[in-house]
Amino acid sequence: MPALNETHDLKLRSWVSSANATDTDFTIQNLPFAEFRRKNSDEAFRGGVAIGDQVVDLAAAQGLFNGEAAIGAAACAEPTLNNFMSMGQPVWSALRLALSRALREGAAEQSSLESCLIPQAEVEFSLPCTIGDYTDFYTSVHHATRVGKLFRPDNPLLPNYKWVPIGYHGRSSSIDVSGQEFKRPCGQTKAPDAAEPSFGPCKRLDYELEVGIYIGKGNDLGTPIILDDSDEHVFGLCLFNDWSARDIQAWEYQPLGPFLAKNFASTVSPWIITTEALAPYRAEFSRDPADPQPMPYLSSEQNSAEGALDIKLEVLLQTEAMRIRKEAPVKVSQSNFIHSYWTVAQMVAHHTVNGCNMRPGDFLGSGTQSGPEHEEGGSLLELSRGGKESFALPNGEQRTFLEDGDAVVMRGWCEKEGVARIGFGEVVSTVLPANQ
Amino acid sequence: MPALNETHDLKLRSWVSSANATDTDFTIQNLPFAEFRRKNSDEAFRGGVAIGDQVVDLAAAQGLFNGEAAIGAAACAEPTLNNFMSMGQPVWSALRLALSRALREGAAEQSSLESCLIPQAEVEFSLPCTIGDYTDFYTSVHHATRVGKLFRPDNPLLPNYKWVPIGYHGRSSSIDVSGQEFKRPCGQTKAPDAAEPSFGPCKRLDYELEVGIYIGKGNDLGTPIILDDSDEHVFGLCLFNDWSARDIQAWEYQPLGPFLAKNFASTVSPWIITTEALAPYRAEFSRDPADPQPMPYLSSEQNSAEGALDIKLEVLLQTEAMRIRKEAPVKVSQSNFIHSYWTVAQMVAHHTVNGCNMRPGDFLGSGTQSGPEHEEGGSLLELSRGGKESFALPNGEQRTFLEDGDAVVMRGWCEKEGVARIGFGEVVSTVLPANQ
């Protein structure tokens, strides 16, 4: 994995003063990547790096760097990050180091770099890269158990769960960046007591709190990525809301899995937090001795020592009524990626062990990241106990599933004693009424 | 649908004499598209159209056309057909008509077009377009019933099958063109009597005989393609072998569907047979009155009158021993796309009814096209009755599932009295030994 180095130093301070705030997501130790342009402009999208409340425009700044950092910055000037992502850890690290040095208090580059800053409040984002293939995993054993109980009270977890990092292919065409608005999907559903299915707008629309994983360097068909090499292939992480139509899913998903219940919309946060930035938040990965231990291709000392990631996650809801009254979104649950039953490295190793090839920009969803407690459910399906219990919002509104006009906000961040805070920003998206 | 017009006329003859042979796939009434270059060259791939045993090089020929045909031909000069596919039926038809007229006996264009011909024997192919998303359907009720029986003898067909065109997302990165060679996949499997799963090369490697469907013009997120508009969005069809690892699938597929059992390789035939070329082979689509009738969004007079397609299909096998002795591939089964329980239009309408967007070049697999008889099984899983019965090849070899070195060949064609024959060519691909 990328070693801890000077870019992680807690003592670093930036001449961009907003980056030194104790509650900012975008400290100088973070330096995440996105594709952006000025809001409501017809400028080309280009790569940028967040620092405090600003964006470093890498198309404008590329001339300030040398060597591999310059090669990386030039690739970031393109309208997608795919080329940069394909270049691998040495180039990613070189650009990160150069940015860290140029943004520190006292840096000689300050005066030239100042003209390359644009306030985040003045930009809009696109998807950071072309996503070739999107795979969704199912790595929260708490989510799998709680959802499984709704269908199979006596046998919630299927026999393969603790052996196989369960995953399935998703749809990339309908993935968009934070700010996405989408119509409530229509489809076939069948009530348990109905003789026949019926057609209409989804009645059990849900969000899923996930971590998204971007592949950087790909692999050739027939050549698996081995577990301890996966860091070389994972560019970074984001937040991911994998919208789900539970009633459509219940009727369609046998025997080949979810389809129209999922592919109407999925939303990513704009910033990619790099694997290197996350290095201080690596955590031990272990298995209950009573559980099956991972097979050899999913097991290594490195993965056990630091395979997990301590990323705090939360979900907030802002109804239309709240938005009209300018009330802030309210928190409905919180969780942590550390609960994941499989590590990012295990997802990558498993996905390619059969020879499947990955390409730069390919995307993995972690699956809904629910924690062990009911209040840590990463979906309304869990919080409403399968739609059986509504819950009250502070303004008195009730929810079991999502209503039209609801906006869902997800946030993520890492913090611990003695280490700089880094944050993911947020992903927000809004449900529009169905086609009629 | 594209009307029958002068390009379908049985009496047309081409000055490319091989196109007038009674057994050629590539008559002047066919005119399918591919991306090609000279074999073992570093030329750029460009679009071509098959005529007899030749390819019309559209990059070389583009100057011969006018109006919309010229716009189409210029787009075909690119290294993928995505732009051409996005242009829609009027441009596709204009280029088809211009090619038909230029290739007819007596055409004034003959002398200039002759220099744009390259023998098919001298070219190699790439994927015809960038495939953004790939979806696999499950439209053969005979396949679904026969496979279902292996797992659930008393209840082979799930309750949703006759209501929902069942589909799931596949992996686009591992789709390649005819000629693909791939290593036998490794993965987790679990024998029914084993206490725990084990890891190793797949023991039940299978092919799936499918028809592939390329989307031409896309749709916006939130705007479904209605049933009778689907012809405007379907560029054309090909043959498709969706390789499957049955033992990996059996262990991994619950509850989210097939994953590593499918994404190690999938192979398409090089030529795309256009929706317009297939017009004479449209056929009535009807449902057994005892079956549920399609819901309104899946039902129209046009779909009933001509939604089905009469495409003959066959699978051949050539073992390594046969290849060494220069023995031709032997037929193992045959079927017809007319058995499909859902039409192409229904697949497209269903896929987008929830607002899911499709992009030019997106790809649908029909699912294994098995016919009603045992001998019409489109997979070895069916022909071997779940691996329980091996069958003998003419040279004395036995097969239940595929062995290393086996090459699978699929062919497809349309023919009937009073209409010109059109063929799909073939898709061939070979199993290599697993990584050790």
Side-chain angles (χ1 to χ4, degrees):
Chain A
M1 74 150 200
L4 292 183
N5 56 44
E6 64 173 82
T7 67
H8 301 100
D9 188 346
L10 174 62
K11 294 191 296 296
L12 293 183
R13 289 177 58 86
S14 175
W15 51 262
V16 180
S17 58
S18 58
N20 305 322
T22 52
D23 62 346
T24 184
D25 278 351
F26 305 118
T27 53
I28 191 168
Q29 293 84 0
N30 192 350
L31 303 177
F33 290 81
E35 283 281 339
F36 79 100
R37 66 178 177 190
R38 280 190 178 78
K39 233 178 239 177
N40 305 317
S41 76
D42 57 359
E43 292 176 355
F45 283 99
R46 65 272 191 187
V49 163
I51 181 77
D53 58 9
Q54 305 289 307
V55 184
V56 181
D57 180 342
L58 288 169
Q62 56 180 307
L64 302 177
F65 306 107
N66 299 306
E68 287 193 308
I71 292 168
C76 288
E78 298 175 17
T80 69
L81 294 175
N82 297 75
N83 262 345
F84 177 58
M85 294 161 86
S86 76
M87 292 174 170
Q89 196 69 58
V91 175
W92 310 334
S93 285
L95 182 55
R96 173 180 166 85
L97 179 61
L99 280 161
S100 171
R101 289 180 176 170
L103 287 163
R104 289 177 202 169
E105 283 182 347
E109 295 88 342
Q110 177 174 350
S111 60
S112 27
L113 205 49
E114 270 172 343
S115 64
C116 305
L117 295 184
I118 304 177
Q120 285 181 32
E122 294 173 18
V123 308
E124 61 187 12
F125 299 97
S126 66
L127 280 182
C129 59
T130 300
I131 297 173
D133 278 297
Y134 152 46
T135 297
D136 202 24
F137 280 90
Y138 193 55
T139 68
S140 164
V141 69
H142 308 295
H143 174 72
T145 305
R146 231 175 270 138
V147 171
K149 257 184 201 152
L150 298 173
F151 297 101
R152 301 171 300 274
D154 300 333
N155 181 27
L157 216 55
L158 292 168
N160 57 9
Y161 188 88
K162 292 187 171 180
W163 294 95
V164 182
I166 296 291
Y168 67 107
H169 298 110
R171 179 103 191 155
S172 63
S173 71
S174 49
I175 301 178
D176 205 348
V177 74
S178 184
Q180 183 175 36
E181 299 186 334
F182 63 90
K183 296 176 192 165
R184 177 181 295 272
C186 290
Q188 290 191 33
T189 58
K190 184 173 166 299
D193 54 351
E196 293 190 351
S198 57
F199 182 86
C202 165
K203 295 193 180 91
R204 291 162 70 96
L205 184 63
D206 203 354
Y207 59 79
E208 290 196 331
L209 169 65
E210 301 199 17
V211 170
I213 299 146
Y214 286 99
I215 299 299
K217 237 173 63 179
N219 65 303
D220 293 333
L221 194 71
T223 306
I225 297 172
I226 65 168
L227 189 68
D228 285 351
D229 287 349
S230 78
D231 286 338
E232 302 292 312
H233 294 269
V234 174
F235 178 68
L237 272 53
C238 70
L239 302 170
F240 183 49
N241 185 349
D242 197 24
W243 301 94
S244 296
R246 302 295 180 192
D247 45 357
I248 294 173
Q249 184 172 346
W251 173 233
E252 76 172 0
Y253 90 105
Q254 290 279 19
L256 298 178
F259 180 43
L260 299 194
K262 295 284 192 174
N263 64 14
F264 56 91
S266 314
T267 322
V268 295
S269 57
W271 296 105
I272 307 178
I273 315 302
T274 62
T275 298
E276 187 169 358
L278 289 163
Y281 293 98
R282 298 277 184 149
E284 204 177 305
F285 168 80
S286 64
R287 275 283 153 77
D288 187 325
D291 278 348
Q293 299 305 298
M295 283 193 178
Y297 77 97
L298 296 174
S299 180
S300 75
E301 279 182 37
Q302 180 179 311
N303 191 62
S304 300
E306 55 185 26
L309 279 164
D310 180 4
I311 303 173
K312 298 178 199 329
L313 302 165
E314 65 179 24
V315 182
L316 303 95
L317 182 64
Q318 187 186 45
T319 67
E320 195 165 29
M322 292 163 66
R323 204 157 47 249
I324 290 169
R325 292 190 227 112
K326 300 196 192 303
E327 293 168 9
V330 294
K331 188 161 87 171
V332 293
S333 71
Q334 68 287 316
S335 186
N336 193 309
F337 190 36
I338 209 160
H339 299 308
S340 179
Y341 196 79
W342 301 100
T343 67
V344 171
Q346 287 171 325
M347 292 182 227
V348 171
H350 181 66
H351 201 317
T352 60
V353 75
N354 67 342
C356 180
N357 59 325
M358 301 234 193
R359 298 169 293 189
D362 282 353
F363 188 77
L364 313 180
S366 64
T368 308
Q369 288 305 306
S370 303
E373 304 303 323
H374 174 76
E375 297 70 29
E376 294 169 321
S379 66
L380 291 179
L381 183 67
E382 292 162 84
L383 297 181
S384 71
R385 301 184 196 275
K388 288 200 273 295
E389 291 178 12
S390 65
F391 60 94
L393 302 175
N395 70 355
E397 289 183 275
Q398 298 279 323
R399 284 293 179 276
T400 37
F401 290 100
L402 295 167
E403 304 287 334
D404 293 348
D406 284 355
V408 174
V409 181
M410 295 174 178
R411 294 184 185 144
W413 68 97
C414 305
E415 57 184 3
K416 66 178 179 185
E417 192 64 29
V419 181
R421 182 183 196 278
I422 62 175
F424 282 66
E426 64 178 33
V427 54
V428 52
S429 27
T430 308
V431 181
L432 304 179
N435 286 320
Q436 290 300 339
Chain B
M1 76 152 202
L4 292 183
N5 56 43
E6 65 173 82
T7 66
H8 301 100
D9 187 346
L10 175 62
K11 295 191 296 295
L12 293 183
R13 289 176 60 85
S14 174
W15 51 260
V16 180
S17 58
S18 57
N20 305 322
T22 52
D23 62 346
T24 183
D25 278 349
F26 305 118
T27 54
I28 191 170
Q29 293 85 358
N30 192 350
L31 304 176
F33 291 81
E35 284 281 340
F36 79 100
R37 66 179 177 190
R38 280 189 179 77
K39 232 178 239 180
N40 305 318
S41 76
D42 57 0
E43 292 176 354
F45 283 98
R46 65 270 192 189
V49 162
I51 181 78
D53 59 9
Q54 304 289 307
V55 184
V56 181
D57 180 341
L58 288 170
Q62 55 179 310
L64 301 176
F65 305 107
N66 297 307
E68 287 194 308
I71 292 167
C76 289
E78 299 175 16
T80 69
L81 294 176
N82 296 76
N83 262 344
F84 177 58
M85 293 162 86
S86 75
M87 291 174 171
Q89 197 68 58
V91 175
W92 309 336
S93 285
L95 182 56
R96 174 180 165 86
L97 179 61
L99 280 161
S100 171
R101 289 179 176 170
L103 288 164
R104 289 177 200 170
E105 283 182 344
E109 295 89 341
Q110 177 173 350
S111 61
S112 28
L113 205 49
E114 270 173 343
S115 63
C116 305
L117 295 183
I118 304 176
Q120 286 180 31
E122 294 174 17
V123 308
E124 61 187 12
F125 299 97
S126 66
L127 280 183
C129 59
T130 300
I131 296 173
D133 279 297
Y134 152 45
T135 297
D136 201 24
F137 281 91
Y138 194 54
T139 68
S140 165
V141 69
H142 308 296
H143 175 72
T145 305
R146 229 175 269 136
V147 171
K149 255 182 201 153
L150 298 172
F151 296 100
R152 300 173 299 273
D154 300 330
N155 181 27
L157 216 53
L158 292 169
N160 57 8
Y161 188 87
K162 292 188 170 179
W163 294 95
V164 181
I166 297 290
Y168 67 106
H169 298 110
R171 179 104 190 155
S172 63
S173 72
S174 49
I175 302 178
D176 206 351
V177 75
S178 185
Q180 183 175 37
E181 300 186 332
F182 63 91
K183 296 177 193 165
R184 176 181 298 272
C186 290
Q188 290 191 32
T189 58
K190 184 175 166 298
D193 55 350
E196 293 190 353
S198 57
F199 182 87
C202 165
K203 295 193 179 94
R204 292 163 69 95
L205 184 64
D206 202 354
Y207 60 79
E208 290 196 331
L209 169 65
E210 302 199 17
V211 171
I213 299 146
Y214 285 99
I215 298 299
K217 235 172 62 177
N219 65 303
D220 293 331
L221 193 71
T223 306
I225 297 172
I226 65 168
L227 189 69
D228 284 352
D229 287 349
S230 78
D231 286 339
E232 303 291 312
H233 294 269
V234 174
F235 178 68
L237 273 52
C238 70
L239 302 169
F240 183 50
N241 185 349
D242 196 24
W243 301 93
S244 297
R246 302 296 181 191
D247 44 357
I248 295 174
Q249 185 172 346
W251 173 232
E252 76 171 3
Y253 90 107
Q254 290 280 18
L256 298 177
F259 180 44
L260 299 194
K262 295 285 190 170
N263 63 14
F264 55 91
S266 314
T267 322
V268 296
S269 57
W271 297 105
I272 307 177
I273 315 303
T274 62
T275 298
E276 187 169 356
L278 289 163
Y281 292 98
R282 297 275 183 149
E284 204 177 309
F285 169 79
S286 64
R287 275 284 153 77
D288 187 325
D291 278 349
Q293 299 305 298
M295 282 195 181
Y297 77 98
L298 296 173
S299 181
S300 74
E301 279 182 37
Q302 181 179 310
N303 192 61
S304 300
E306 56 185 25
L309 279 164
D310 179 4
I311 303 172
K312 299 180 199 326
L313 303 165
E314 66 179 24
V315 182
L316 304 94
L317 182 64
Q318 187 187 45
T319 68
E320 194 164 28
M322 292 162 66
R323 203 155 49 246
I324 289 167
R325 291 190 227 111
K326 299 195 192 303
E327 294 167 9
V330 294
K331 187 161 87 170
V332 292
S333 72
Q334 68 287 317
S335 186
N336 193 309
F337 190 36
I338 209 160
H339 298 308
S340 179
Y341 195 78
W342 301 100
T343 66
V344 171
Q346 286 171 326
M347 291 182 229
V348 171
H350 180 67
H351 202 317
T352 60
V353 76
N354 67 342
C356 180
N357 58 325
M358 301 233 194
R359 297 167 295 189
D362 282 352
F363 188 77
L364 314 180
S366 65
T368 308
Q369 289 306 306
S370 302
E373 304 302 322
H374 174 77
E375 297 71 31
E376 294 169 322
S379 65
L380 291 178
L381 184 66
E382 294 162 82
L383 297 180
S384 72
R385 302 184 197 274
K388 289 199 271 296
E389 291 179 11
S390 65
F391 59 96
L393 301 174
N395 70 354
E397 289 183 273
Q398 298 279 323
R399 283 293 179 276
T400 38
F401 290 100
L402 295 167
E403 304 287 334
D404 293 346
D406 283 356
V408 174
V409 181
M410 295 175 178
R411 292 182 186 146
W413 68 96
C414 305
E415 58 184 1
K416 65 178 180 185
E417 191 66 28
V419 181
R421 183 183 195 280
I422 63 176
F424 281 66
E426 64 180 32
V427 55
V428 53
S429 28
T430 307
V431 181
L432 304 178
N435 285 320
Q436 290 298 339

